């Protein structure tokens, strides 16, 4: 049992990462002080047209920004760091991160233009930091990037453990296993609640070590006759290390392609998290002049993002170089749930352009960075929380995690399977669900943040699906009658010139609506066309009516 609990309330407010994979962000609130853990982004799904990425809705914090005492980032992946400059624009709080995570944040902040404003503090696994009324301890955990931490957060209300993203890898690429002793030490003190990674809650067994990729890479390097292009996240530093080692073993030079990949690699080398020989790395311009079988290019784009290197190679729009026959492209990451279709399309296009493509089910060129069921059970038994809040997963993952927890003795009522925005309170050592706060999507596109609301998304969907119709009406200001035939223009709907009957009927509908209208003419015409088109074609094009009174 946990000791030293006062009757003050600790509030846990998940703003992202619950009911989805991505945009992780959790708020802890105690005695007027606020601590933020992670500020991630999520990549758009295929039907989110024109959206670059999505950030958590943190309007809950807007009238409390002065109370935010700190932002702790568990590790350097985009789904935990990507929204940092958006948060810093509104909230001026110090950031705490381990050296590699800090380095990745600095690269990001410099590009986001808010580097000056940021107050970054380096912490190391094993450290304890006082942030307002929160005593935060950092314990090293394995994942697919070095320097990840789990958090032990102590307030007078009790001790909460946040696992961050983790796997229990006994042979990690950086030879630094998870700090079981620290987790056990927390358990010894009594853990009131644990927030734990649920990503692989539906996968049986134990996630293989990152090391299992090595033989798969060796096979690729042995068999490739031409260039090798390896695509992964720019923040997947462990994977970059493995590619570098494979390149070394097989006598190829390595080049980093794209700004984010180049900057991250440079920073990770400077900090000592990426160990590559000076002679191994060559600039991309040199690599492109070398014999194809002597180079490996490290690129972004394993998720098929259109603006990434691989995304552009797939569409033939990369400026610096194109794919050539004989290239081998390795997609070294697993599609983020919801992204499978995009990735499949990119794979098809890469084949179409003559490349040989190697991806996860074909060869073990990727292994998950997240714990599977046995590791999740192990974590529950090790940390022994009284309450569990499954985080980092779609609803199905959160539910599976809850089932696992019941197998090791937690009662269903001691597990909060909740979604973003559901406030959880801990009072007198007991967990209660409290109110809901906004926890939805904020869309970011090239031009701005949040100006793309759900209604704009619906319009984009409608345009993409059924096209639009433009109707120009010349109306006699006195009589209210049409002066000429309505002008009708369509795009992406039906080819009106081949649809005489539909066109004629559309005209009749407009004339009828004009004749019968006794209010807003524009609205009545739009409404009658909407009904008519749906009845006639089962489609819902966007309709614009312009009324010129003369
Ligand atoms: Zn991660
Ligand atoms: Zn994550």
């Amino acid at each position: 049992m946990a000791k030293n609990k006062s009757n003050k309330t600790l509030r846990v407010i998940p703003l992202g990462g619950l009911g989805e994979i991505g945009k992780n962000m959790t708020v802890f609130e105690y005695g007027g002080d606020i601590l933020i853990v992670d500020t991630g982004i999520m990549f758009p799904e295929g039907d989110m047209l024109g959206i670059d990425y999505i950030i958590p809705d943190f309007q809950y914090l807007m009238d409390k920004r002065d109370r935010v005492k700190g932002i702790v980032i568990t590790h350097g992946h985009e789904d935990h760091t990507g929204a940092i400059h958006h948060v810093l624009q509104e909230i001026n709080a110090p950031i705490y991160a381990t050296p590699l995570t800090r380095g990745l944040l600095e690269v990001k902040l410099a590009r986001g233009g808010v580097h000056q404003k940021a107050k970054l503090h380096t912490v190391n696994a094993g450290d304890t930091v006082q942030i307002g009324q929160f005593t935060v301890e950092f314990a090293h955990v394995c994942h697919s990037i070095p320097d990840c931490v789990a958090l032990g957060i102590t307030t007078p209300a009790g001790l909460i453990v946040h696992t961050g993203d983790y796997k229990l890898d006994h042979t990690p690429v950086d030879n630094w296993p998870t700090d079981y002793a620290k987790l056990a030490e927390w358990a010894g003190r009594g853990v009131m609640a644990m927030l734990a990674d649920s990503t692989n809650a539906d996968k049986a067994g134990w996630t293989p070590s990152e090391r299992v990729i090595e033989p798969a890479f060796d096979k690729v390097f042995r068999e490739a006759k031409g260039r090798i292009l390896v695509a992964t996240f720019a923040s997947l530093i462990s994977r970059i290390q493995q590619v570098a080692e494979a390149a070394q073993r097989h006598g190829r030079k390595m080049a980093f392609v794209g700004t984010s990949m180049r900057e991250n690699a440079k920073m990770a080398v400077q900090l000592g998290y990426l160990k590559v020989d000076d002679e191994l790395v060559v600039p991309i311009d040199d690599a492109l002049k070398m014999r194809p079988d002597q180079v490996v290019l490290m690129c972004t784009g394993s998720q098929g993002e259109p603006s990434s290197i691989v995304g552009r190679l797939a569409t033939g729009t990369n400026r610096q170089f194109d794919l050539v026959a004989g290239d081998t492209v390795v997609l070294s990451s697993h599609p983020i749930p919801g992204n499978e279709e995009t990735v499949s399309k990119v794979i098809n296009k890469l084949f179409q352009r003559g490349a040989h493509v190697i991806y996860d089910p074909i060869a073990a060129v990727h292994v998950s960075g997240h714990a599977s069921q046995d590791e999740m059970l192990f974590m529950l038994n090790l940390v022994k929380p009284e309450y569990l809040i499954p985080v980092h997963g779609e609803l199905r993952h959160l539910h599976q995690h809850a089932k696992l927890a019941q197998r090791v003795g937690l009662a269903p009522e001691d597990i909060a399977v909740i979604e973003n925005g559901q406030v959880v309170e801990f009072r007198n050592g007991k967990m209660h669900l409290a109110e809901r706060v906004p926890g939805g999507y904020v869309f970011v596109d090239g031009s701005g943040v949040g100006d793309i609301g759900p209604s704009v998304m619906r319009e984009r969907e409608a345009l993409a699906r059924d096209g639009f119709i433009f109707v120009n009406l010349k109306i006699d200001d006195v009589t209210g009658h049409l002066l000429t035939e309505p002008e009708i223009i369509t795009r992406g709907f039906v080819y009106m010139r081949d649809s005489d009957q539909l066109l004629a009927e559309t005209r009749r509908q407009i004339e009828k609506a004009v004749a019968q209208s006794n209010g807003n003419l524009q609205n009545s015409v739009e409404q009658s066309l909407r009904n008519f088109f749906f009845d006639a074609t089962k489609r819902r094009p966007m309709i614009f009516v312009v009324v010129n009174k003369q």
Side-chain angles (χ1 to χ4, degrees):
M1 282 295 290
K3 289 167 229 87
N4 302 327
K5 286 174 190 163
S6 84
N7 55 4
K8 278 214 181 161
T9 303
L10 171 74
R11 284 159 59 80
V12 180
I13 304 136
L15 293 181
L18 278 68
E20 64 198 2
I21 303 277
K23 71 176 178 63
N24 296 283
M25 183 169 182
T26 311
V27 169
F28 294 85
E29 210 174 344
Y30 180 82
D33 287 354
I34 289 174
L35 172 72
I36 298 173
V37 173
D38 290 332
T39 55
I41 56 165
M42 186 159 81
F43 294 107
E45 289 176 19
D47 55 357
M48 297 178 182
L49 303 155
I51 296 301
D52 293 335
Y53 57 89
I54 303 151
I55 63 174
D57 182 345
F58 52 90
Q59 56 172 289
Y60 173 74
L61 294 169
M62 296 315 263
D63 59 349
K64 309 173 185 65
R65 44 188 122 187
D66 300 340
R67 288 165 45 198
V68 179
K69 301 298 174 195
I71 303 167
V72 172
I73 306 293
T74 57
H75 66 287
H77 283 157
E78 292 284 342
D79 60 325
H80 300 256
T81 63
I84 188 68
H85 53 286
H86 297 291
V87 173
L88 282 192
Q89 266 158 13
E90 303 294 342
I91 295 165
N92 185 19
I95 302 167
Y96 300 83
T98 55
L100 178 65
T101 308
R102 177 189 175 143
L104 289 162
L105 285 167
E106 281 175 331
V107 170
K108 189 170 296 299
L109 289 169
R111 295 173 99 193
V114 287
H115 198 202
Q116 304 304 324
K117 218 174 138 186
K119 292 181 296 247
L120 285 151
H121 297 281
T122 302
V123 292
N124 285 289
D127 286 355
T128 303
V129 175
Q130 193 66 36
I131 304 172
Q133 297 185 60
F134 303 93
T135 308
V136 183
E137 294 167 89
F138 300 85
H140 181 259
V141 289
C142 294
H143 182 38
S144 48
I145 181 172
D147 233 5
C148 296
V149 284
L151 309 173
I153 304 169
T154 303
T155 64
L159 167 59
I160 301 247
V161 171
H162 189 310
T163 66
D165 290 8
Y166 78 96
K167 69 191 280 188
L168 302 179
D169 192 341
H170 297 315
T171 54
V173 175
D174 62 0
N175 300 314
W176 190 5
T178 296
D179 187 355
Y180 302 104
K182 188 84 190 167
L183 296 168
E185 189 199 320
W186 289 338
R189 274 186 249 157
V191 174
M192 182 168 63
M194 178 165 79
L195 283 72
D197 181 358
S198 313
T199 314
N200 282 345
D202 53 9
K203 294 215 170 59
W206 200 284
T207 304
S209 169
E210 300 284 304
R211 293 274 178 209
V212 302
I213 301 172
E214 282 165 20
F217 271 148
D218 275 334
K219 187 166 184 285
V220 171
F221 275 72
R222 241 188 346 259
E223 291 175 359
K225 300 272 183 289
R227 289 189 305 198
I228 300 174
L229 295 88
V230 180
T232 192
F233 292 109
S235 59
L236 221 60
I237 305 294
S238 312
R239 197 58 45 81
I240 301 175
Q241 180 71 51
Q242 288 177 298
V243 174
E245 286 169 13
Q248 192 91 47
R249 285 197 294 275
H250 296 270
R252 286 186 185 237
K253 298 287 184 197
M254 184 178 189
F256 296 105
V257 192
T259 319
S260 55
M261 188 60 86
R262 213 166 40 239
E263 287 178 352
N264 282 353
K266 191 172 145 203
M267 179 277 306
V269 167
Q270 275 167 5
L271 293 176
Y273 286 92
L274 187 58
K275 294 180 186 71
V276 290
D277 257 29
D278 285 346
E279 294 94 75
L280 181 73
V281 178
V282 295
I284 176 67
D285 291 328
D286 295 357
L288 294 175
K289 288 181 208 131
M290 293 170 67
R291 248 178 50 197
D293 62 351
Q294 292 184 335
V295 289
V296 52
L297 310 180
M298 200 72 223
C299 326
T300 55
S302 55
Q303 293 296 316
E305 312 92 300
S307 59
S308 67
I309 301 292
V310 165
R312 296 202 300 248
L313 287 170
T315 50
T317 53
N318 192 41
R319 247 171 295 152
Q320 211 170 7
F321 62 95
D322 274 321
L323 282 177
V324 293
D327 281 348
T328 299
V329 180
V330 182
L331 298 183
S332 185
S333 83
H334 194 69
I336 296 168
N339 222 11
E340 294 86 350
E341 212 183 300
T342 315
V343 174
S344 303
K345 277 185 194 148
V346 164
I347 292 173
N348 291 336
K349 282 188 196 153
L350 293 169
F351 272 119
Q352 216 167 39
R353 290 181 177 272
H356 180 50
V357 193
I358 294 170
Y359 49 99
D360 190 10
I362 300 298
V365 287
H366 176 68
V367 62
S368 173
H370 298 270
S372 297
Q373 290 178 349
D374 286 352
E375 292 156 282
M376 297 168 73
L377 289 167
F378 188 102
M379 185 62 93
L380 282 157
N381 278 333
L382 184 61
V383 176
K384 290 203 278 288
E386 288 175 52
Y387 296 102
L388 174 71
I389 305 177
V391 299
H392 207 288
E394 294 177 12
L395 213 44
R396 63 193 167 113
H397 304 123
L398 307 183
H399 276 283
Q400 290 301 333
H401 198 171
K403 270 194 185 163
L404 287 173
Q406 288 174 46
R407 274 170 51 194
V408 293
L410 270 84
E413 59 271 22
D414 295 341
I415 306 163
V417 175
I418 51 169
E419 289 185 88
N420 298 331
Q422 172 64 58
V423 180
V424 179
E425 289 185 350
F426 293 90
R427 209 177 313 123
N428 299 320
K430 293 269 172 281
M431 180 172 76
H432 310 270
L433 294 191
E435 85 275 18
R436 285 202 71 125
V437 303
Y441 287 179
V442 174
F443 295 110
V444 181
D445 72 358
S447 60
V449 181
D451 40 2
I452 309 296
S455 61
V456 176
M457 285 312 294
R458 273 197 296 277
E459 285 171 9
R460 286 186 184 180
E461 277 162 29
L463 281 170
R465 202 175 46 236
D466 295 331
F468 72 82
I469 294 178
F470 173 79
V471 177
N472 192 17
L473 303 177
K474 288 199 175 65
I475 301 285
D476 185 320
D477 203 8
V478 180
T479 64
H481 295 154
L482 280 164
L483 287 170
T484 56
E485 272 209 334
E487 185 189 359
I488 300 170
I489 297 167
T490 72
R491 288 291 181 273
F493 175 48
V494 287
Y495 197 51
M496 278 296 209
R497 244 182 272 169
D498 288 348
S499 317
D500 293 341
Q501 213 191 327
L502 186 67
L503 188 61
E505 188 54 35
T506 304
R507 289 220 169 90
R508 264 198 299 284
Q509 289 291 328
I510 295 170
E511 282 156 13
K512 208 165 91 189
V514 170
Q516 289 172 354
S517 170
N518 47 12
N520 185 326
L521 182 58
Q522 194 185 350
N523 279 354
S524 357
V525 174
E526 280 179 12
Q527 189 55 50
S528 91
L529 286 182
R530 199 165 293 131
N531 296 339
F532 164 68
F533 284 130
F534 188 70
D535 289 343
T537 65
K538 293 285 168 268
R539 297 170 76 182
R540 298 182 196 278
M542 293 211 66
I543 300 164
F544 310 92
V545 176
V546 172
V547 179
N548 296 294
K549 291 196 171 159
Q550 289 172 357

